[in-house]
């Protein structure tokens, strides 16, 4: 009979999951005995880095990533980015080592006391199988749960001695992952859109996850709807150079109401209605506006405060709306005002950096961003072209962006990936530079160095601080990212003058190997 290890490896082949992300400890070693040559092991130097690399790879390939973590301490290190994977709706099968079953009654060293409880509530399902023979079936079940909408991570705790136990092979099977929304509710949404005078769409990252952007563009063009990106969206929800694109909604209730003023129907597509970051008051929508929503997450649908909500996969829902007879034409809304051109200054502005990067980035390049204080400026000066062009984290937690860019580059071979990362964010996952160097990925890391946790400076007035007040614990002096790059095995350059920026970026973007560009900004 084959062993549990053989059965699991065969299952992973069948599921196209032959890349394993991990940072192994003693209880994980039995999985790697006679590790097959058709599998690839991607080592991360810290467990949170491992999860973020897997997250980027899963998003880029649209298939669950397979992760192997150490037991309690390793899962604990990984929890920050497990939370981010949960918020990103990233499918991921996490296996975590556990001590041998025979010594579990004696509280052995390196065991996880409550292995299934530790990752909750940020996994869709967690289990330590009752028998070794049940491990392959548990991993298969976890995969299908991870891939079903709303997607997300799962965790299976595997005792170290399970891998060598005899086990029957698993039969191959297929589980559908598309859920068609209720036709009657979609008809209500279609009728409301047809009757609208001034519709607006608010689009979240689920549209790109569900490969629904072409259908969404067609629907927006049919209805001449202005299209906003939802607050905290983790992917490009709509081509940002399109005439109907209206900009980005902030995570503030009153500002959302102001920006949506004048619209009589608001259609939230693959996005909560709405994500808020600071306390707000009053209505969620402008007076007289009606809310419609198409979302793949029933929990989000349940707390949506008003309106008509359809639950299901976005692509079939949008296709149902496109299959309706076209309504009489309505006039196009006014175009979004272009951003004013940023001029070179000393020190450089973030706007000049983003504008220059937009001008020199290669066609087809992908941006992975984690520079929270620079994001509003990026949204004005570095437009994203559409599907699969942009990734960021939905969670607000730091330490995802740099390792996630490694995973995206692995999942999109031959594609230039640009990691746009703040100086504070970079230090949460700086070990990812080593993985990028070892894998020789076409990755350009752009560090936006403003010498502080600048996002906190921006939020301080909301909590009673005077604008511009010096905050404790926010300054980041004396970080040398070029030295950190060299120490991890890749070249780096520091740019402080605006005149050197374009050429420095061009050289880094043309390098087939990973390279870091540290840009000092005001």
């Amino acid at each position: 009979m084959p062993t549990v290890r053989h059965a699991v490896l065969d299952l992973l082949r069948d599921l196209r999951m032959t890349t394993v992300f991990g940072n192994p400890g003693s209880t994980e070693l039995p999985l790697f005995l006679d590790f097959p040559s058709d599998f690839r092991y991607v080592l991360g130097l810290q467990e949170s880095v491992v999860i973020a690399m897997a997250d980027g790879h899963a998003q880029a390939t649209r298939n669950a990533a397979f992760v192997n973590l150490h037991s309690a301490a390793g899962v604990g290190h990984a929890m920050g980015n497990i939370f981010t994977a949960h918020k990103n709706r990233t499918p991921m099968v996490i296996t975590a080592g556990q001590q041998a079953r025979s010594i579990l009654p004696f509280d052995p060293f390196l065991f996880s006391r409550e292995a299934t409880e530790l990752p909750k509530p940020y996994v869709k399902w967690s289990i330590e199988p009752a028998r070794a023979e049940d491990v392959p079936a548990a991993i298969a079940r976890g995969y299908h749960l991870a891939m079903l909408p709303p997607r997300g991570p799962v965790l299976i705790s595997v005792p170290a001695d399970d891998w060598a136990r005899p086990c029957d092979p698993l039969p191959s099977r297929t589980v559908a992952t598309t859920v068609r929304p209720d036709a009657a509710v979609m008809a209500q949404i279609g009728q409301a859109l047809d009757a609208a005078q001034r519709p607006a769409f608010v689009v979240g990252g689920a549209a790109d996850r569900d490969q629904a952007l072409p259908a969404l563009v067609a629907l927006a063009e049919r209805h001449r709807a202005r299209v906003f990106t939802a607050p905290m969206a983790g992917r490009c929800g709509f081509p940002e150079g399109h005439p109907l694109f209206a900009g980005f909604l902030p995570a503030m209730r009153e500002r959302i109401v102001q920006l949506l003023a004048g619209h009589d129907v608001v259609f939230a597509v693959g996005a909560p209605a709405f994500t808020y970051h600071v306390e707000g008051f009053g209505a969620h929508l402008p007076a007289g506006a009606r809310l419609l929503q198409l979302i793949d997450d029933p929990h989000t649908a349940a707390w949506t405060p008003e309106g008509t909500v359809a639950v299901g996969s976005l692509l079939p829902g949008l296709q149902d709306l496109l299959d309706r007879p076209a309504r009489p034409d309505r006039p196009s809304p006014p175009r979004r005002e272009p951003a004013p051109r940023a001029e070179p200054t000393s020190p450089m502005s973030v706007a000049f950096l983003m504008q220059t990067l937009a001008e020199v980035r290669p066609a087809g390049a992908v941006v992975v961003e984690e520079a929270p204080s620079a994001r509003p400026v990026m949204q004005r000066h570095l437009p994203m072209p559409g599907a699969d062009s942009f990734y960021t984290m939905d969670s607000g937690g730091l330490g995802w962006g740099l390792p996630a860019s490694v995973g995206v580059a692995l999942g999109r071979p031959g594609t230039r990936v640009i990691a746009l990362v703040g100086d504070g964010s970079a230090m949460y996952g700086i070990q990812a530079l080593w993985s990028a160097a070892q894998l020789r990925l076409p990755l350009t890391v752009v560090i936006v160095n403003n010498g502080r946790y600048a996002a906190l400076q921006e939020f301080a007035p909301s909590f009673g601080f005077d604008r511009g007040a010096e905050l404790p614990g926010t300054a980041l002096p004396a970080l040398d990212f070029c030295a950190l790059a060299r120490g991890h095995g890749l070249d780096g350059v520091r740019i402080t003058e605006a005149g050197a920026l374009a050429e420095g970026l061009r050289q880094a973007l043309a390098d087939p190997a990973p390279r870091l560009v540290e840009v000092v900004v005001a």
Side-chain angles (χ1 to χ4, degrees), residues 139 147 325:
I139 291 174
M147 292 294 290

Side-chain angles (χ1 to χ4, degrees), residues 293-309:
Q293 186 180 44
L294 171 60
I295 190 76
D296 61 355
D297 181 4
H299 295 286
T300 301
W303 66 252
T304 298
E306 58 184 271
T308 301
V309 183

Side-chain angles (χ1 to χ4, degrees), residues 6 19 49 78-80 104 134 161 176 184 197 214 225 274 295 323 353 363 382 405 414 422 454 458 479 510:
H6 293 131
T19 297
V49 169
M79 277 303 299
L104 286 179
D134 299 328
D161 53 344
Q197 298 300 310
F274 301 96
I295 190 76
D323 288 341
L353 164 59
L382 182 61
S405 69
E458 295 173 9
L479 286 173

